[in-house]
Amino acid sequence: MTLLDQHSVHGAPALPADAIPALLAQVPGWQPVDGVIAREFTFRDYRETIAFVNAVAWLAEGENHHPDLTVAYRRCTVACTTHSAGGALSLNDFICAAKIDALYAQRAGA
Ligand SMILES: C[C@H](O)[C@H](O)[C@H]1CNC2=NC(N)=NC(=O)C2=N1
């Protein structure tokens, strides 16, 4: 089963460190930093940036897993971590990262 086929679950545990490399390989472009995976996305204009931010927000609500979003004119940095795992990475973070990548790939005109 791929990450795209899965859903975030409430209270997902922190992943063991040795599980992380294989998951990172499934979300190229995401960088691990201190219990967070993050990726910067770029856009043609502000409208496209904000459309992506809204799509991520809807996805986050549906998954009940909420990444931090840092928004600029034609950029958005998405950072995923799991609060309930004490600020560590859980499978939820990789599921959301994969789904956010799919949103980005499917945006209009991509
Ligand atoms: C009760 C509810 O499941 C939790 O508060 C959810 C909501 N969104 C969340 N988002 C993130 N990033 N981590 C969490 O642990 C988390 N927990």
Side-chain angles (χ1 to χ4, degrees), residues 10 64-67 81-85 93:
H10 175 63
N64 194 25
H65 196 66
H66 302 87
T81 187
T82 301
H83 312 142
S84 62
D93 298 305

Side-chain angles (χ1 to χ4, degrees), residues 26-90:
Q26 296 177 59
V27 287
W30 290 77
Q31 306 293 330
V33 192
D34 291 340
V36 176
I37 49 171
R39 178 177 168 187
E40 183 182 85
F41 295 89
T42 58
F43 304 94
R44 284 169 291 224
D45 56 28
Y46 191 63
R47 184 190 300 244
E48 191 177 78
T49 305
I50 297 303
F52 176 78
V53 166
N54 275 288
V56 171
W58 280 93
L59 171 67
E61 282 292 284
E63 293 291 331
N64 194 25
H65 196 66
H66 302 87
D68 293 342
L69 304 174
T70 305
V71 181
Y73 170 40
R74 293 191 301 161
R75 280 180 290 119
C76 177
T77 301
V78 182
C80 296
T81 187
T82 301
H83 312 142
S84 62
L89 289 169
S90 75

